[in-house]
């Protein structure tokens, strides 16, 4: 045999290093002694084992050297080699870990591989798992640019021989590595600085730089427990901070890269290492493994602050180098393959989460199958048609068609109703969210609501096209509503012929139709998510059993909803108060203080954590309580209590009041049910009561001075959901009851309920696809402001417009900044300045002889009367004076205020007012002399003007405008200091991260992972 | 089954509805600002004299060309005006201006609020004319006014005038369509607080042929009622009864067919040749008629297939001289007050069922009431000591005009409010208007 002949010419000394490896050592010793090619000499080094390792070595008659507990692996090997007899030709050192058992033919295969390859100085076996011996651990190893240990294998890759063969590699693991002794000694052995981990890659790299070859011979197999890496034993070596090997591994990885790489790529490597360390640290923090996160940073940091180590190591390697360090370039994994592997890992993880493997074993025996019978059964080729008989398919096709027909005027950039025009890009929304000063009306510092940031984030999935996002959102909203409702209802009934029509009814409910037609984003979103919230909180009665992680997760979902409308906080608060009062009564009977305290704590967390996550916007409610009752966008009034009682929010574009939905009827009937429907109906009735009361309230906010009735959409969502759920439960049990009983009132009531529901569905769908399509929200509507008025940057224009129906017209006004309002702006609109309100009133009734000067004082440059408008009023304005007409087109009439008016005015010593150039928020301009600078924006303490590095004195004018005293001519800078806003946003981000981390599944240390899982 | 719990929930709903009803106060209550726009009286041009009849001595007025915005009380019930156009805060009482040229002519007109369109059917641009169109801008901003001119030769090129704030412009009528004999003028302000007045004065050489203030109408209509046309009848020694000239214009693009009905105390009839007369669109057309009736005043009802504007020119003799009046269409009579101090007009009511109640305020502070009833036409002479009268009740489809005779001439003005109560809703601030 050729291999036996080859074996004969080699001398092999196995060096076994043990450290608390008694668990694995017996098998390792047995493996060594059972090699088909006997080992010429076995020696061992024990590094301060506390277990029975030394006893085992003794009993196996293996001579060993005892070393200090902090002795590294490389040092231990050198210790053993130094004690060996003088080297002979073809002498090999076989490095054996105490947790690595080579297969009986391993040595023979290794020697066979190097027999005809004299250039090979290091050869290693294929490493398989200790417990799962089909788990491929390594077949050669390399290092990635970011320091990751690179095996080129997938996680838990099954060994099917797919990587078999003898291959050149950068390095092989020291576990089972066969190294030519003369080269080992020539290169100084394993680097003593690498006490554990990465010493193999380093040696391989050095060997290759010295002109040698390294290869893996997969014919040789060893089984490796990776005890240190998997934290199966404590690592006591120097630098293994807190006994965690990760720090050592990461530090050594950086050491290897920085010591061996060409000098000119070192800066890039440092950046890569730092970046990777930070990214991985964040990942570990999210996984709630702060120790690992600290290890990542400390590992790289501790090395960078001690450059002497690297310099010394590079000097050594320079002496040993025979060829360029770049000789190993072919073994460094390309970045794309690292990314691909990472992405595959993520995809697999997501797939596993979404589609868990069905581990159920089929109970059908193969014996049950009759092959002959199969052949005789006629093949039905029309199975696919059966799909269309399933209620899910029918229901979703129907709702999709209805949504398409209803949305036929909504393909494009949506605007109208509560919905202002969306900005073109997400960056505009982000700017609105981050800015401390909003150029709306006379300007405001109101905190932008969180929904703006959420929408901006969501638009990333649509390449930052906010308009596209909004259009798609309203188009698919009914389908999503039905989908989420069906998810919930399937929990209540197994009969899809009940759950799917019920989900359909939910999607065509009065509140759903009205919310889509009027652009109430919050109600639409709540309709989609409410069933999912209900699913998550289905066992809210046992809130004490909720884990804090679940509380954090639900809080995040609720925070998203609060971010759109704080009315959902009001709902939660009301529910919390009722539940707490109920608990108080139970506690009086049971006297279980610990239980009820826990329930209270969790309930409070569930209600208030989302509220806190929405600061600073949510804090605005303390100064403006009306914000608790509004939705994003413009204030569209609801229809009042009677509408609300019927489950219809009312107001413009809602279903007519004669089109009565069966919501109230279902709830009342369910109240008398003896099933679970009764409990659901009680929730629904409570929500209905809240809706009725809320809809009777009138508020003025979001830039609307007049009181308007509250839109009760979000509360009615719960009412609708409760009615649909109660009806589902009722029907689920009803059929059996009715079949078994004689005709009585239940039969009549059921027939009435079903008939009403059917009639409602038909009429509601009919209305939705006909009249409902001409909704307030339409695509591509003409703008209010003519284009020529937006040419001047940040000009203020007083706009007058006649609105309302033909018989109920009303004149309204507002200050425009040259363009129509945009998404998010109504939410931060300030209340109107009294002086401007008086000036506008004067224009209308013809008494405003001072209107022009007032508007000039506030920097209003133009007056625009949007057509159609009463000619008498136009004549009245013509007659008032102080205005000069600049245009009269079919769009409307524009006057220019004749007195100087601009955003930044300067009044010199002579009292003459001059216009100064000003940017959108900040400005940099020149002041000609000493005087007073007037900023025609609402007074705010964050307005600052700097001249020569000093702040100018700020005062408040009679009109409530900020003024600054200029003492000398020169260049000035106007800024709005956004520090406070940034502070609040930072706090919000920190809170969000904390709750997010709490909600995410916790990572486990390797020591906490079972052997089975590791395998 | 225990019904107490469900019933408690239903009671809960009822309680909520009750609370909601209490909370549900009317939030859509609107606030209005009501006022009568100030009315403008024409300036007194050179050679003329003016008196303005007012209903109260406390009526506030302002001289148009006075840059001060201060107003002052008139302190008299008949205000002589030397030159300026005056702005009155008459608060619902319509002042009437009476202008005359000594020994030549006289005419009356209503002082009125700003108008979006005024039609003047009258005057001539031929060699005999001395007429003038006066455009008054009572606003504080400059105004731009379009003047559309129609003659027997059709529509003339549009003329546009710029009128300075608080000022007026006098345009000789003959400059509008030189040489054309029959005029109809439409004044349309593009911007500004504009009132227009027209004086039609005719003369041949040094011989005055009379004159009048031509009262405007606002809109063309398919039915035009001219309620008061003086009819002096045939005097002994006079060869023929005085002629009346009906001037009609169809300003639209389609020809119209016009029928003229004459309403008088002697009956209602269609004068010969005035039944279904075709009127070419855009051409000012005149028809002459000479009714043989005994009434001193009559009315005409013009019915057309297309909207028209119309007026009747009537020749009258005053003292030894000649004068003429332009009787123009009047709007349907409504409840309002008109000042007539010193005018003693003859008010002619026209309508199928005339039932009008008036309250006359006398200069001595007393008031008297009068009911006027009749069919087709009824006349009522306002007492000499009256300073104003108020229409307190009026039936439907009733129209009225006033004829005034003075030593200098004869005049007509429609009985119509110079300014109507303007009810303007106080506006709200709402950002929603910046959304389509």
């Amino acid at each position: 045999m050729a291999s036996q002949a080859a074996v004969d010419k080699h001398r092999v000394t196995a060096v076994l290093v043990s450290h608390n490896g008694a668990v694995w050592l017996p098998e390792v010793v047995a493996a060594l002694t059972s090699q088909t090619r006997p080992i010429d000499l076995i020696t061992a080094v024990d590094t301060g084992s506390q277990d029975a390792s030394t006893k085992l070595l003794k009993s196996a008659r293996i001579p060993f050297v005892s070393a200090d507990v902090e002795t590294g692996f490389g040092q231990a090997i050198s210790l053993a080699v130094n004690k060996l007899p003088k080297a002979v030709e073809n002498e090999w050192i076989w490095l054996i870990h105490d947790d690595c058992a080579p297969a009986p033919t391993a040595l023979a295969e290794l020697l066979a591989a190097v027999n005809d390859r004299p250039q090979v100085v290091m050869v290693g076996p294929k490493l398989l798992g200790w417990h799962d011996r089909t788990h491929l651990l390594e077949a050669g190893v390399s290092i990635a640019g970011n320091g990751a240990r690179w095996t080129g294998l997938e996680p838990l890759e099954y060994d099917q021989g797919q990587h078999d063969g003898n291959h050149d590699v950068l390095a092989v693991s020291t576990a089972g590595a066969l190294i030519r002794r003369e080269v080992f000694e020539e290169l100084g052995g394993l680097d003593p600085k690498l006490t554990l981990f990465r010493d193999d890659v380093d040696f391989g790299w050095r060997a290759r730089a010295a002109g040698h070859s390294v290869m893996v011979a997969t014919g040789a197999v060893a089984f490796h427990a990776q005890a240190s890496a998997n934290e199966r034993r404590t690592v006591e070596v120097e630098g293994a901070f807190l006994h965690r090997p990760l720090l050592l591994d990461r530090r050594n990885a950086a050491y290897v890269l920085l010591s061996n790489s060409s000098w000119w790529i070192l800066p890039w490597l440092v950046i890569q290492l730092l970046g990777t360390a930070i990214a991985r640290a964040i990942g570990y923090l999210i996984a709630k493994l702060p120790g690992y996160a600290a290890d990542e940073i400390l590992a790289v940091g501790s090395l960078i602050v001690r450059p002497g180590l690297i310099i010394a190591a590079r000097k050594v390697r320079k002496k040993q180098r025979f060829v360029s360090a770049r000789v190993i370039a072919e073994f460094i994994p390309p970045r794309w393959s690292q990314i691909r592997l990472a992405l595959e890992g993520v995809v697999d993880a997501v797939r596993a989460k979404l589609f868990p493997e069905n581990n159920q074993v089929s109970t059908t025996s193969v014996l049950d199958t009759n092959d002959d019978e199969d052949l005789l059964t006629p093949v039905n080729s029309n199975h696919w048609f059966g799909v269309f008989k399933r209620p899910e398919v029918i229901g979703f096709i129907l709702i999709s068609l209805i949504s398409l027909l209803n949305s036929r005027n909504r393909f494009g950039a949506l605007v109208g109703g509560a919905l202002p025009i969306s900005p073109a890009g997400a960056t505009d929304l982000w700017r609105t969210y981050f800015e401390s000063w909003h150029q709306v009306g006379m300007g405001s510092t109101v905190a932008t609501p969180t929904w703006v940031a959420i929408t901006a984030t969501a638009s990333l999935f649509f390449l930052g096209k906010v308009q596209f996002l909004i259009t798609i959102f309203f188009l698919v909203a009914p389908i999503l509503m039905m989908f989420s409702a069906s998810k919930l209802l399937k929990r209540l009934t197994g009969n899809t012929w009940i759950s799917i029509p019920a989900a359909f009814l939910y999607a065509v409910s009065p509140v759903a139709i009205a919310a889509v037609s009027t652009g109430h984003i919050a109600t639409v979103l709540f309709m989609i998510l409410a069933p999912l919230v209900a699913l998550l909180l289905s066992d809210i009665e046992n809130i004490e059993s909720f884990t804090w992680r679940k509380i954090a997760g639900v809080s995040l979902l609720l925070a998203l909803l609060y971010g759109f409308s704080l009315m959902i906080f009001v709902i939660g608060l009301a529910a919390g108060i009722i539940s707490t009062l109920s608990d108080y009564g139970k506690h009086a009977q049971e006297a279980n203080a610990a239980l009820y305290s826990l329930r209270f704590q969790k309930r409070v967390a569930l209600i208030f954590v989302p509220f806190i996550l929405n600061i600073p916007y949510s804090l605005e409610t303390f100064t403006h309580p009306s914000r608790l009752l509004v939705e994003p966008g413009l204030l569209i009034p609801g229809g009042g209590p009677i509408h609300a009682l019927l489950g219809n929010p009312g107001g413009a574009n809602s279903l007519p009041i004669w089109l009565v939905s069966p919501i109230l009827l279902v709830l009342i009937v369910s109240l008398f049910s003896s099933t679970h429907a009764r409990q659901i109906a009680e929730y629904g009735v409570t929500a209905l009561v809240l809706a009725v009361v809320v809809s009777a309230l009138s508020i003025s906010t979001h830039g609307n001075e007049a009181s308007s009735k509250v839109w009760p959409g979000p509360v009615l969502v719960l009412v609708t959901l409760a009615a649909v759920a109660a009806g589902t439960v009722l029907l689920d049990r009803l059929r059996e009851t009715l079949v078994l009983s004689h005709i009585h009132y239940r039969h009549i009531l059921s027939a009435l309920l079903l008939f009403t529901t059917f009639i409602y569905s038909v009429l509601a769908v009919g209305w939705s696809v006909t009249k409902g399509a001409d909704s307030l929200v339409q695509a591509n509507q003409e703008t209010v402001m003519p284009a020529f008025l937006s040419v001047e940057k940040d000009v203020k224009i007083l706009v007058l417009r006649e609105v309302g129906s033909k018989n109920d017209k009303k004149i309204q006004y507002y200050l425009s900044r040259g363009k129509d309002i945009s998404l998010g702006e109504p939410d931060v609109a300030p209340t109107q300045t009294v002086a401007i309100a008086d000036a506008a009133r004067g224009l209308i009734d013809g008494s405003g002889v001072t209107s022009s000067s007032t508007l000039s004082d506030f920097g209003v440059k133009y007056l625009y009367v949007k057509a159609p408008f009463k000619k008498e009023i136009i004549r009245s304005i013509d007659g008032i004076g102080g205005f000069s007409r600049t245009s009269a087109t079919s769009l409307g009439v524009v006057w220019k205020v004749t007195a100087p008016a601009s955003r930044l005015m300067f009044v010199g010593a002579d009292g003459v007012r001059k216009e100064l150039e000003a940017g959108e928020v900040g400005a940099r301009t020149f002041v000609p002399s000493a005087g007073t600078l007037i900023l025609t924006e609402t007074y705010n303490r964050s307005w600052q003007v700097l001249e020569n590095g000093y702040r100018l004195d700020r005062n408040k004018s009679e009109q409530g405008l900020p003024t600054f005293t200029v003492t000398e001519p020169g260049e000035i800078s106007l800024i709005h200091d956004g520090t406070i806003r940034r502070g609040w946003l930072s706090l919000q981000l920190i809170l969000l991260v904390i709750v997010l981390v709490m909600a995410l599944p916790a990572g486990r240390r390797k020591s906490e992972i079972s052997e089975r899982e590791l395998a | 089954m225990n019904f107490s719990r469900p019933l408690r929930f239903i009671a809960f709903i009822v309680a909520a509805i009750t609370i909601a009803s209490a909370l549900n106060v009317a939030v859509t209550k609107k606030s209005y600002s009501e006022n009568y726009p100030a009315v403008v009286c024409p300036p007194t041009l050179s050679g003329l004299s003016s008196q303005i009849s007012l209903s109260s001595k406390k009526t506030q007025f302002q001289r148009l060309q006075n840059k001060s915005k201060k107003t002052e009380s008139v302190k008299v019930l008949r205000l002589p005006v030397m030159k300026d156009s005056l702005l009155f805060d008459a608060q619902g009482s319509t002042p009437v201006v009476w202008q005359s040229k000594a020994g030549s002519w006289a005419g009356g007109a209503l002082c009125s609020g700003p108008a979006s369109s005024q039609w003047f059917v009258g005057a001539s641009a031929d060699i005999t004319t001395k007429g003038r169109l006066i455009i008054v801008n009572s606003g504080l901003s400059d105004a731009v006014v379009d003047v559309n001119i129609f003659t027997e030769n059709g529509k003339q090129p549009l003329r546009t005038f710029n009128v300075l704030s608080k000022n007026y412009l006098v345009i000789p009528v003959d400059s509008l369509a030189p040489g054309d004999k029959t005029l109809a003028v439409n004044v349309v302000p593009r911007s500004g607080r504009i009132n227009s007045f027209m004086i039609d004065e005719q003369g041949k050489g040094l011989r005055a042929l009379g004159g009048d203030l031509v009262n405007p109408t606002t809109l063309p209509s398919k039915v035009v009622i001219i309620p008061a046309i003086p009819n002096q009848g045939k005097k002994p020694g006079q060869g023929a009864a005085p002629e009346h000239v009906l001037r009609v214009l169809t300003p639209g693009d389609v020809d119209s067919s016009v029928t003229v009905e004459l309403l008088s105390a002697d009956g209602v009839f269609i004068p010969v040749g005035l039944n279904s007369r075709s009127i070419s669109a855009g051409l000012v057309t005149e028809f002459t008629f000479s009714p043989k009736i005994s009434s001193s005043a009559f009315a005409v009802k013009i019915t057309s297939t297309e909207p028209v504007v119309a007026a009747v020119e009537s020749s009258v003799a005053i003292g030894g001289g000649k004068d003429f009046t332009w009787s123009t269409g009047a709007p349907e009579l409504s409840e309002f007050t008109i000042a007539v101090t010193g005018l003693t007009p003859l008010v002619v009511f026209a309508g199928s069922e005339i039932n009008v109640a008036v309250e006359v305020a006398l200069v001595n502070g007393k008031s008297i009431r009068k009911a006027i009833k009749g069919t087709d036409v009824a006349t009522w002479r306002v007492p000499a000591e009256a300073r104003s009268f108020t229409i307190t009740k009026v039936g439907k489809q009733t129209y009225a005009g006033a004829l005034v005779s003075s030593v200098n001439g004869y005049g007509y003005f429609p009985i119509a409010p110079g300014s109507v109560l303007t009810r303007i809703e106080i506006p709200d601030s709402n950002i929603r208007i910046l959304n389509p």
Side-chain angles (χ1 to χ4, degrees), chain A residues 953-985:
Chain A
D953 287 341
R954 183 185 59 235
N955 293 298
K956 194 173 184 178
S957 72
E958 285 177 15
Q959 290 92 354
L961 305 174
T963 63
F964 301 89
T965 309
V966 182
T967 52
E968 56 180 321
E971 195 176 55
I972 55 142
S973 295
L974 168 73
I975 54 166
H976 189 266
D977 185 3
T979 309
I980 297 171
R981 173 73 182 160
R982 286 193 292 275
W984 279 117
L985 291 180

Side-chain angles (χ1 to χ4, degrees), chain A residues 415-417 419-421 440 634 636 641 645 671-673 678 682 685-686 689 692-693 696-698 702-707 709 781-782 784 799 801 803 808-816 820-821 826 829 832 841 844-845 875 878-883 885, chain B residues 1-7 9-10 12-21 23-25 27-33 35 69 114-117 137-142 189-194 422-436:
Chain A
V415 65
L419 195 67
I421 190 78
V440 183
L634 298 157
I636 301 291
L645 184 68
L671 277 180
F672 293 91
S673 165
R678 179 172 168 170
E682 287 176 359
V685 168
T686 310
V689 166
V692 167
V693 174
L697 301 174
S698 297
H702 278 201
N704 185 357
E705 190 187 3
S707 288
K709 279 187 185 147
Q781 295 194 54
E782 275 188 12
V784 174
V799 181
R801 191 176 171 193
V803 293
D808 184 26
K809 290 211 167 183
K810 193 171 172 62
I811 298 169
Q812 294 181 327
Y813 65 94
Y814 207 80
L815 275 186
S816 163
D820 289 11
I821 47 158
Q832 194 54 265
R841 192 171 300 139
I844 303 297
D845 65 15
R875 275 201 305 278
D878 277 333
I880 279 172
F883 300 96
R885 268 209 202 191
Chain B
M1 185 180 177
N2 181 11
F3 287 122
S4 65
R5 193 172 163 89
L7 290 175
F9 271 91
I10 291 171
F12 200 19
I13 296 175
V14 174
I17 294 168
T18 312
I19 294 167
S21 304
L23 289 169
N24 190 22
V25 288
V27 292
T28 53
K29 195 171 70 180
K30 294 177 181 176
S31 307
Y32 292 94
S33 161
N35 70 345
K69 296 184 183 85
S116 56
S117 170
N137 176 12
S138 56
L140 298 173
S141 303
D142 293 356
R190 272 195 220 168
S191 66
R193 196 176 193 279
I194 291 295
T422 310
R423 192 165 183 254
I424 293 172
E425 191 191 334
I426 293 173
D428 292 329
S429 161
N430 194 341
I431 198 170
R432 192 179 164 188
I433 63 161
L434 301 182
N435 208 34

